[in-house]
Amino acid sequence: MTRTTPSPERARLAASLRDLRARTGLSMVGLAERTAFSKSSWERYLNGKSVPPRDAVRELCRLASEPEGRCLALWEIAESEWSGRAAPAPAPAPAPAQRTETAQRTDAAAEAPSTVPEPVPPEHVAREASAPASRDDTRAGNRGAAVAVLASVCAVVVGGVAITLFLVLGQDAPRSSSSASPSASATGPRCRGAACEGRNPMDMKCGVGPQTLASYRTASGAMLELRDSRTCGTSWARMWGTRIGDRLEVTADGRPRSAEVENEADAAAYVYTPMTTTRSGTVVRACFRPAPGGESDGKGECFEGRVR
């Protein structure tokens, strides 16, 4: 069954798959000929009308020489939403301070018997009848016990409120100025503007939701992209499908930033250049230098993109 309007999860996956198909240069018919899936199936997958099988995503990544990790992560999110496995989190349990008035009255009633005076022995009845002052003392004692019960109930309520505030605000709530900064950096970028210059975009969390300024495929088959984060105010380049010794350099208004494929692990994954500070309208240039000894024999290839 297909759904008319793609969810955000399926839309992101479909956009990524369309980008991969564009890199392959294949039509829908070409995809059908090179994979186990029909032309109509690919049309649904690329338009976000349905979630493709995991094998379809892997085959498209293979055709585009794209590492599978990112696309499979997007597929997992979209498939969870599609199948209903991404269920909403259960509502939190009510705080201790939210006890009903009935529950408070019940607590008071439960505590009251413990404060009732013990029965007066029979031999004291005559004495109390002849001594009205003693009965007054007893009434005063009862009033004192009632006051004690009321104080206990108030203490329970106040204690519940205090516990709730403790759980909601945290133990260090009065020192919110010092404890708020870690939670903010845990969810957003860890640097902005000039503070990001020369830093790794993944480590600084600037690589979350960036724009792609330009893409390029080298003569050796390596894939290159110029990336930009307006949240951080920076740009960088990345490469994949590379060989050990390949080098990528990115330049904007400042000094060039470069990265090199150093080992097999790098060659099997994305390799990112450090970031350089940019702003709207900045022209960013990337140059690829392949490892010596290949078909290109170290000849460089460059391309550009403009920050929007």
Side-chain angles (χ1 to χ4, degrees):
M1 180 182 69
T2 60
R3 306 177 188 179
T4 304
T5 304
S7 64
E9 294 82 0
R10 281 184 288 136
R12 284 194 294 269
L13 175 61
S16 180
L17 296 181
R18 288 194 299 271
D19 181 56
L20 292 181
R21 187 192 64 96
R23 295 180 194 173
T24 65
L26 296 174
S27 63
M28 296 294 186
V29 175
L31 281 179
E33 292 175 350
R34 289 167 174 78
T35 65
F37 304 93
S38 66
K39 173 177 176 291
S40 59
S41 295
W42 279 115
E43 288 176 346
R44 292 195 304 272
Y45 303 156
L46 300 183
N47 290 328
K49 294 180 180 179
S50 63
V51 176
R54 183 186 181 91
D55 288 344
V57 177
R58 298 187 65 182
E59 289 194 35
L60 186 54
C61 288
R62 175 181 56 82
L63 291 173
S65 300
E66 167 83 0
E68 298 177 356
R70 175 178 175 274
C71 288
L72 289 181
L74 292 175
W75 174 85
E76 179 65 28
I77 296 172
E79 197 278 334
S80 297
E81 179 274 334
W82 178 265
S83 62
R85 288 190 289 118
Q98 295 175 336
R99 301 173 60 189
T100 63
E101 183 180 354
T102 302
Q104 295 174 3
R105 289 200 301 267
T106 302
D107 289 347
E111 294 184 13
S114 62
T115 61
V116 175
E118 296 183 0
V120 181
E123 59 270 20
H124 293 170
V125 173
R127 189 186 312 164
E128 290 183 358
S130 61
S134 298
R135 288 196 297 272
D136 292 340
D137 292 341
T138 302
R139 294 192 189 98
N142 290 339
R143 287 195 298 271
V147 171
V149 171
L150 181 59
S152 299
V153 173
C154 292
V156 170
V157 174
V158 173
V161 173
I163 292 173
T164 301
L165 293 175
F166 179 86
L167 294 175
V168 173
L169 300 179
Q171 186 175 1
D172 295 331
R175 299 190 296 273
S176 57
S177 59
S178 61
S179 62
S181 55
S183 61
S185 62
T187 57
R190 299 172 61 185
C191 67
R192 297 178 189 274
C196 298
E197 186 70 39
R199 311 292 292 274
N200 185 295
M202 298 298 106
D203 293 344
M204 295 297 103
K205 298 187 178 181
C206 293
V208 179
Q211 297 178 353
T212 299
L213 302 181
S215 300
Y216 185 85
R217 187 183 187 93
T218 69
S220 62
M223 292 300 302
L224 315 176
E225 282 185 344
L226 281 171
R227 310 278 272 178
D228 176 78
S229 170
R230 287 303 81 210
T231 303
C232 293
T234 58
S235 299
W236 63 93
R238 69 174 182 174
M239 57 181 170
W240 67 96
T242 53
R243 298 179 303 158
I244 297 176
D246 287 349
R247 186 178 180 84
L248 181 61
E249 181 180 273
V250 62
T251 307
D253 295 334
R255 58 177 294 185
R257 301 292 180 181
S258 61
E260 183 174 344
V261 179
E262 299 179 352
N263 49 45
E264 292 292 345
D266 286 349
Y270 290 110
V271 175
Y272 300 85
T273 70
M275 294 183 285
T276 185
T277 306
T278 56
R279 58 185 181 275
S280 180
T282 300
V283 175
V284 187
R285 180 180 177 85
C287 290
F288 176 78
R289 309 287 180 185
E295 296 180 0
S296 302
D297 196 23
K299 183 179 180 181
E301 300 176 61
C302 300
F303 67 109
E304 296 180 344
R306 183 182 294 274
V307 178
R308 296 185 287 274

